[in-house]
Amino acid sequence: MQTRKKKHHELYDALSTIVGEKFVIDDEFELIPYARDISYFHGVTPGIVVRPGTTQEVAAIVRVANSTKYPIVVKGGGNAGGGVTPGEPGRNILLDMGRLDEIKVDIPNLKVTVGGGARLSTIDDALRPYGYYTNTVIGPYYSATAAGLTAGIAGAGFGKNVSSIGCNFTQIIGLEVVLPNGDIITTGAGPSSNVNRDEIMYREVTGPDLTDLFVSSGGAFGLITKVVQKIIPIPKHMKAISYLVPTMEQVWDISLELSDRVRVPYSNMIMFEMSNYMVKPLAGGVDAYGVLLYCVEGDSEEDVDLRIREISSVCEAKGAIHGNEKMDYFALHGTTGTMEMVHDVGANSCPFMTWESMYPRAQSMEYAKGLLQAFASVPGHRENATGCGMYLVPMGNVFLIGATLRSAFQTPEAEQHLRDTWKAGAKYMRMTGSSSAYGQGTNSQYIAESWSPTYAKTMAAIKKALDPNGIMCPGLWNL
């Protein structure tokens, strides 16, 4: 009996020559996990998956794609919330960047150089023995990657102390990027901007800085293979406090007052609605609109205590009630600061979809209420048991508004209802001048619909100059 050999993808041999057969996937069954992100947007099955291990291998793959006109899409940790980049279904070369996970710690220069596929948790693990951390996100901490965060989220992501430090792009020193033609470039004061440098040093005094072209770009202009980021000393003292707030209006009253100070008293702050699946089990049945979670870090216990008292005085003057011990613990370990996750809380219902957007602080409550009304305008919430949990993070002149849409059912109808509700929210955001913070897939298309003709023309010109064959993440930003 003769055994038939499986017919490989047309590029299997060429790509295997670059990375080795072990790191090339074209089996139909094995491609299924690569078709979707965590959202309930429809998936896109790639034609072949490649797992490069070096920047040079990424560059070689891109050159093959250019010569054969096959499109490239990219995957980090798979935690995008806006659907995968469409590209060309069935033809896409999908680059799984997970093997690019090297970490080089440079304590004397207060920086760390990490591969684009390095997980946020492993970066912190590498820095912790030295007494440092990076301002990485608190969300998909164990699976999100450095390049995925940098390229896929507005401002390179919202770090652990975003309320006091700001978005992560302020922490990024420079990037190594593979351009759509296969060339390799370093941004910031790196070898590309000065041939006498052998590494990325800083972003100042370097001439035009290209770093932000690739931040939040989703990979449309190039693939990030290394991220050089500032590191921060782990604080000597850290305390947290939680407050239950009766109404939405009181949440904003407190947040507006505390964020309008020369030095905000908290290192980080987040508000969850009481219905949040993590918070509800900790509340012990207390009835409230939401819970404010504050983490305070400092070099002295006296300074930390002073700032805790400052927070408490404002919260209590506006009718908030101190939360319980479990909520204080959650404020310290689960949502801010040290990355020690809280366990033994209720699991999220499935399916779910989540997004974040930003709005000027003074109008942010009206914006949040309008977003909820947009969700409510979609029929079918009762039938599909759809719920929305909102959260709030002050960020200086803007407030970040987050929303998690979820259903109690795992049915095609429930999934479609979530997609319809998401689209209603996206339309409202466009009409109010905001957008989702996620620079991937469907979200990028929604965002680009609001670009002015001149802006769209400029972006298209940049794309055409860098990617004349249109092989890098086609469809992203409608480019």
Side-chain angles (χ1 to χ4, degrees):
M1 180 177 176
Q2 190 176 11
T3 303
R4 294 181 63 187
K5 276 191 170 183
K6 173 186 176 299
K7 184 178 179 180
H8 281 298
H9 187 278
E10 180 184 1
L11 298 181
Y12 182 87
D13 290 338
L15 297 175
S16 295
T17 300
I18 297 169
V19 301
E21 291 186 6
K22 180 180 178 181
F23 301 113
V24 179
I25 300 168
D26 65 350
D27 179 80
E28 185 176 347
F29 181 76
E30 293 181 85
L31 294 175
I32 293 174
Y34 288 96
R36 300 183 70 158
D37 62 4
I38 62 171
S39 76
Y40 272 80
F41 283 113
H42 294 295
V44 176
T45 302
I48 191 168
V49 173
V50 192
R51 301 181 60 226
T54 66
T55 298
Q56 289 69 31
E57 287 182 356
V58 174
I61 295 166
V62 170
R63 286 192 287 271
V64 168
N66 265 296
S67 65
T68 59
K69 304 299 187 292
Y70 271 89
I72 284 180
V73 295
V74 63
K75 175 186 176 296
N79 288 281
V84 296
T85 301
E88 298 179 31
R91 293 193 75 238
N92 292 331
I93 303 171
L94 188 148
L95 297 192
D96 179 343
M97 306 292 270
R99 292 180 60 222
L100 296 165
D101 59 357
E102 64 177 313
I103 300 173
K104 179 184 176 184
V105 178
D106 184 354
I107 298 298
N109 291 308
L110 295 178
K111 67 177 184 177
V112 62
T113 301
V114 302
R119 311 289 165 168
L120 307 184
S121 58
T122 59
I123 298 170
D124 269 359
D125 287 344
L127 289 168
R128 194 173 294 110
Y130 298 98
Y132 289 84
Y133 74 97
T134 57
N135 191 41
T136 50
V137 295
I138 62 175
Y141 181 63
Y142 296 101
S143 50
T145 63
L149 178 67
T150 302
I153 307 293
F158 315 116
K160 289 179 284 191
N161 287 342
V162 64
S163 296
S164 56
I165 293 177
C167 290
N168 274 344
F169 75 91
T170 65
Q171 304 297 303
I172 292 175
I173 298 171
L175 305 169
E176 182 176 76
V177 180
V178 176
L179 297 176
N181 66 355
D183 287 347
I184 300 169
I185 189 173
T186 54
T187 72
S192 292
S193 62
N194 187 319
V195 295
N196 298 307
R197 296 179 178 130
D198 58 2
E199 61 182 18
I200 294 171
M201 297 180 174
Y202 43 78
R203 286 177 67 175
E204 302 80 5
V205 199
T206 185
D209 178 19
L210 292 175
T211 303
D212 286 342
L213 175 63
F214 304 103
V215 169
S216 311
S217 71
F221 304 125
L223 303 178
I224 298 172
T225 58
K226 286 183 183 177
V227 179
V228 183
Q229 191 164 349
K230 299 175 185 177
I231 59 176
I232 304 166
I234 294 173
K236 297 176 182 177
H237 299 276
M238 182 184 298
K239 290 186 179 181
I241 195 164
S242 62
Y243 274 93
L244 298 161
V245 187
T247 69
M248 185 179 191
E249 287 74 15
Q250 286 166 299
V251 165
W252 257 262
D253 274 351
I254 292 168
S255 300
L256 287 168
E257 180 167 336
L258 285 175
S259 63
D260 184 22
R261 303 201 169 197
V262 173
R263 182 197 69 168
V264 293
Y266 43 78
S267 300
N268 207 0
M269 173 269 171
I270 189 168
M271 184 285 298
F272 286 116
E273 284 188 318
M274 193 58 67
S275 59
N276 180 275
Y277 74 100
M278 295 182 291
V279 171
K280 193 173 182 179
L282 305 176
V286 176
D287 184 26
Y289 166 75
V291 58
L292 297 165
L293 303 163
Y294 296 98
C295 180
V296 177
E297 302 170 352
D299 291 328
S300 72
E301 192 168 1
E302 293 77 15
D303 176 51
V304 170
D305 287 339
L306 179 66
R307 292 162 67 187
I308 288 283
R309 289 196 296 271
E310 184 180 350
I311 292 168
S312 297
S313 66
V314 173
C315 289
E316 292 171 9
K318 293 185 178 293
I321 302 168
H322 184 200
N324 59 33
E325 186 178 345
K326 288 183 178 180
M327 286 185 163
D328 287 350
Y329 183 88
F330 186 51
L332 184 63
H333 298 286
T335 61
T336 55
T338 64
M339 292 297 95
E340 181 182 333
M341 295 292 115
V342 172
H343 302 285
D344 301 323
V345 297
N348 199 351
S349 57
C350 289
F352 80 99
M353 297 173 78
T354 186
W355 75 41
E356 294 165 329
S357 59
M358 293 173 283
Y359 211 73
R361 64 191 295 278
Q363 296 84 31
S364 58
M365 185 173 69
E366 288 72 20
Y367 169 80
K369 287 181 176 180
L371 184 59
L372 293 174
Q373 290 171 1
F375 293 152
S377 70
V378 180
H381 293 299
R382 184 181 297 275
E383 295 85 344
N384 294 287
T386 300
C388 172
M390 184 166 283
Y391 52 99
L392 171 74
V393 182
M395 294 168 49
N397 70 309
V398 298
F399 279 10
L400 182 148
I401 313 293
T404 300
L405 300 170
R406 59 189 182 278
S407 173
F409 304 130
Q410 290 182 291
T411 64
E413 293 78 15
E415 292 179 18
Q416 186 57 48
H417 184 255
L418 288 180
R419 286 191 285 268
D420 291 342
T421 305
W422 176 287
K423 289 177 182 178
K427 181 179 179 181
Y428 169 79
M429 286 191 288
R430 292 199 302 275
M431 290 174 58
T432 54
S434 184
S435 63
S436 170
Y438 304 154
Q440 309 121 329
T442 303
N443 276 314
S444 75
Q445 296 169 333
Y446 289 159
I447 294 168
E449 287 176 7
S450 296
W451 288 349
S452 72
T454 304
Y455 195 87
K457 181 180 178 181
T458 301
M459 297 295 279
I462 295 172
K463 174 70 169 174
K464 184 67 175 178
L466 292 174
D467 187 10
N469 291 323
I471 58 102
M472 191 70 77
C473 300
L476 200 64
W477 310 110
N478 295 335
L479 297 172

